[in-house]
Amino acid sequence: MLFNGLKYHLRTFGCQMNQHDSERIAGMLEEQGAMLAASIEQADIVVYVTCCVRQAADMRLLGQVASLKGLPTPTGGKRLIAVGGCLAQRDGEKLVEQLPHIDIVFGTHNIAMLPELIKSALDTSQPQVSTLSDVQADEMVPATSLPARRENKWHAWLPIMTGCNNFCSYCIVPYVRGRERSRPFEEILREVEMLLADGVVEITLLGQNVNSYGRDLYGQPRFAEILKAVGESGVDRLRFVTSHPKDLSVETIAAFAQTKAVMPHLQLPVQSGSDNILAAMNRLYTADDYRGLVHLVRQASMDAGKGGKTYLGSVAFSTDIIVGFPGETESDFQATCDLVEEIGFSQVFSFIYSRREGTPAASLVDENTPEQIQERYQRLVKIVQKSAWEQNQLELGIPTPVLFEGISKRDQTMLTGRSPKNTTVHAKLPPDRSISDYIGKIHPVRIDTAKTWYLSGDLLD
Ligand code: 5AD
Ligand code: SF4
């Protein structure tokens, strides 16, 4: 045991892949005897898992790490600061030059090396920087096969692939996560069995572009097959992120619609409603292609009896949108607003374009002012709120199975969980029952209130 008696704290930024990496890091540190500290102040080792998709994440990380300088540990010793993830992969050595009190920098491909790096930093008091290139990554133990300390007993992130081959012109991910690497089919199914034996009821398959799962290993995508196989494994709920519209095949749509455990929610990033901007982004589909996909998914799901009884209610769609991509005109932006109104998304993650050095879009000039872009962003937010509210109204009166996750921060007698469509649902805890009767379990709730960002109602059992 390398770290007996030491306490660690983890801070995670960015996407679900980072959350999964953090669960593996926690697993490895605990395997070496370290214990979770409730706060940074109480920790001997602080690990940051970082994101560099947008500049805001860079700034937050640097600010947080800077504020740790000189902060003593409870025992008066030195606190070790380790920075990993996408920003660490991108900046490597530069991070230690910028903030000399960082002790360890590790990349996205060598998470397995973290315990050794911490040990060397403790032994030598010298900064340890180790990031590997995408090519070297093939030699490494993949993060997916490390022990995990899952945040919730009932839910597991399950990466089926890492990396991305798409090179959307604004995006840094292919440069910091490398090329697509799929995990063998059988290995994924073995992990599913282990997770089920461990009491997991909900699995989320992870990948930057899950729709192309298998292409690198088997010469053709096998996502539809993996969706069916995991969906029929006995798991109650199956989700997946993220789908690239250009690779969403008819086979995948059929597997999505027909596999009962696959939840009726599709996260399908559109990025823009304008064909000019989509082309400049290198997305390789048009707004009409996207409309066509949504139609197919809704129709196939309604035919299979998934989600709801109406065409519009059968599946909840969520999406990502970038506002202010270089060269975006008022009419391009209007096309995005029109598409959002037309599709009826239950949730939209909207981002202001952030220039990322090294990406093709970084050299594009933009004549829009930050004020214009901000104003567009606010306009989009209003449309998104209206759309989410409208979608939630479709759920009124319907008995909805809810997987409960915890209690409301504001009201200790209010349980919170998620509907199949991934909407937050609140329900009053019956006076004669305890929280543990519900957490991590699925119980039906009759929805009687539908707000913009949540539903609520009474428990039916
Ligand atoms: N600027 C703004 N948003 C971005 N995203 C990715 N790169 C950028 C960028 N440079 C958004 C996309 C993607 C989500 C994860 O982050 O919408 O789908
Ligand atoms: Fe980035 Fe595009 Fe790959 Fe998504 S599909 S990670 S947006 S390059």
Side-chain angles (χ1 to χ4, degrees):
M1 296 252 198
L2 294 175
F3 312 131
N4 251 347
L6 291 183
K7 288 193 168 168
Y8 75 94
H9 192 79
L10 260 169
R11 279 280 160 94
T12 310
F13 296 78
C15 67
Q16 290 94 343
M17 197 58 92
N18 275 9
Q19 290 184 33
H20 164 266
D21 284 351
S22 288
E23 291 189 353
R24 302 282 164 164
I25 289 169
M28 277 191 305
L29 297 182
E30 293 192 8
E31 202 179 50
Q32 294 297 337
M35 284 178 314
L36 182 66
S39 67
I40 285 189
E41 285 74 19
Q42 293 163 29
D44 305 291
I45 304 169
V46 182
V47 184
Y48 289 93
V49 178
T50 62
C51 171
C52 61
V53 163
R54 289 169 294 275
Q55 198 186 359
D58 285 26
M59 304 314 282
R60 261 178 70 202
L61 180 269
L62 295 176
Q64 284 204 17
V65 175
S67 73
L68 283 188
K69 193 165 180 215
L71 189 75
T73 65
T75 51
K78 182 179 156 27
R79 177 179 291 103
L80 223 83
I81 302 173
V83 181
C86 296
L87 185 109
Q89 179 72 30
R90 188 192 69 185
D91 290 354
E93 195 85 43
K94 268 203 303 198
L95 273 176
V96 184
E97 285 161 20
Q98 234 173 326
L99 294 165
H101 62 293
I102 292 178
D103 302 283
I104 294 151
V105 178
F106 62 105
T108 53
H109 301 300
N110 62 342
I111 286 176
M113 283 168 69
L114 182 61
E116 274 170 60
L117 294 169
I118 296 179
K119 170 101 179 38
S120 305
L122 286 169
D123 290 348
T124 64
S125 300
Q126 291 296 318
Q128 307 289 316
V129 178
S130 177
T131 58
L132 300 181
S133 72
D134 190 31
V135 179
Q136 291 168 315
D138 280 332
E139 312 288 314
M140 281 305 298
V141 179
T144 49
S145 56
L146 300 170
R149 177 194 188 278
R150 291 200 315 277
E151 203 175 322
N152 297 321
K153 209 177 149 28
W154 65 89
H155 176 263
W157 304 111
L158 175 50
I160 58 171
M161 62 193 301
T162 56
C164 181
N165 290 358
N166 289 314
F167 294 94
C168 300
S169 64
Y170 50 81
C171 185
I172 192 94
V173 168
Y175 307 91
V176 289
R177 286 274 176 185
R179 294 297 71 71
E180 285 177 1
R181 285 186 181 82
S182 300
R183 296 176 70 190
F185 204 91
E186 294 69 29
E187 184 184 306
I188 295 171
L189 293 188
R190 269 201 304 278
E191 190 166 335
V192 168
E193 268 173 41
M194 275 161 32
L195 293 171
L196 293 180
D198 206 24
V200 163
V201 297
E202 182 178 66
I203 292 177
T204 307
L205 305 179
L206 288 184
Q208 252 76 41
N209 177 16
V210 288
N211 296 121
S212 68
Y213 164 77
R215 195 177 278 156
D216 55 317
L217 271 189
Y218 307 109
Q220 60 185 39
R222 292 184 67 184
F223 185 59
E225 276 175 76
I226 202 87
L227 205 53
K228 264 189 269 178
V230 182
E232 285 161 8
S233 65
V235 70
D236 288 300
R237 292 187 163 195
L238 180 58
R239 302 183 184 278
F240 55 96
V241 278
T242 299
S243 287
H244 193 307
K246 80 174 165 60
D247 295 315
L248 185 62
S249 66
V250 283
E251 291 83 10
T252 298
I253 293 176
F256 172 85
Q258 291 161 17
T259 312
K260 229 175 131 230
V262 178
M263 291 293 101
H265 166 233
L266 188 61
Q267 159 67 9
L268 194 62
V270 65
Q271 311 298 359
S272 169
S274 149
D275 289 346
N276 290 337
I277 296 295
L278 287 171
M281 287 175 164
N282 191 31
R283 292 289 287 179
L284 307 180
Y285 56 83
T286 63
D288 275 349
D289 294 337
Y290 189 91
R291 289 183 175 90
L293 286 172
V294 169
H295 170 71
L296 283 178
V297 173
R298 280 187 169 144
Q299 193 64 53
S301 302
M302 197 179 74
D303 292 349
K306 193 181 212 61
K309 291 184 188 64
T310 64
Y311 174 78
L312 277 181
S314 59
V315 177
F317 287 87
S318 58
T319 201
D320 294 353
I321 285 176
I322 298 179
V323 179
F325 185 83
E328 182 186 75
T329 63
E330 179 55 32
S331 84
D332 290 323
F333 178 68
Q334 195 51 53
T336 300
C337 295
D338 293 347
L339 185 84
V340 172
E341 288 202 296
E342 186 188 323
I343 301 286
F345 290 107
S346 63
Q347 203 175 8
V348 176
F349 302 95
S350 17
F351 308 106
I352 288 181
Y353 170 74
S354 173
R355 190 175 164 276
R356 302 283 72 192
E357 206 61 64
T359 61
S363 58
L364 299 175
V365 281
D366 189 24
E367 273 156 23
N368 294 305
T369 63
E371 292 72 28
Q372 273 171 319
I373 294 172
Q374 191 61 41
E375 188 273 331
R376 283 182 191 162
Y377 181 83
Q378 295 307 335
R379 252 192 287 162
L380 180 63
V381 166
K382 289 213 177 80
I383 296 170
V384 165
Q385 285 173 347
K386 180 166 163 274
S387 172
W389 185 85
E390 283 170 1
Q391 289 305 306
N392 278 346
Q393 305 312 304
L394 299 172
E395 307 299 313
L396 280 171
I398 299 177
T400 301
V402 177
L403 172 54
F404 285 102
E405 298 174 338
I407 44 168
S408 158
K409 284 190 197 95
R410 279 194 238 137
D411 180 349
Q412 300 281 305
T413 63
M414 199 59 104
L415 292 158
T416 76
R418 301 225 159 230
S419 75
K421 291 179 182 166
N422 210 29
T423 309
T424 298
V425 181
H426 300 303
K428 196 105 188 138
L429 177 71
D432 54 336
R433 303 286 288 270
S434 84
I435 295 164
S436 59
D437 294 339
Y438 293 96
I439 305 295
K441 299 187 183 111
I442 299 170
H443 288 268
V445 172
R446 186 181 306 283
I447 305 301
D448 59 26
T449 308
K451 302 282 193 193
T452 305
W453 298 127
Y454 69 88
L455 304 167
S456 62
D458 291 325
L459 275 157
L460 293 172
D461 74 12

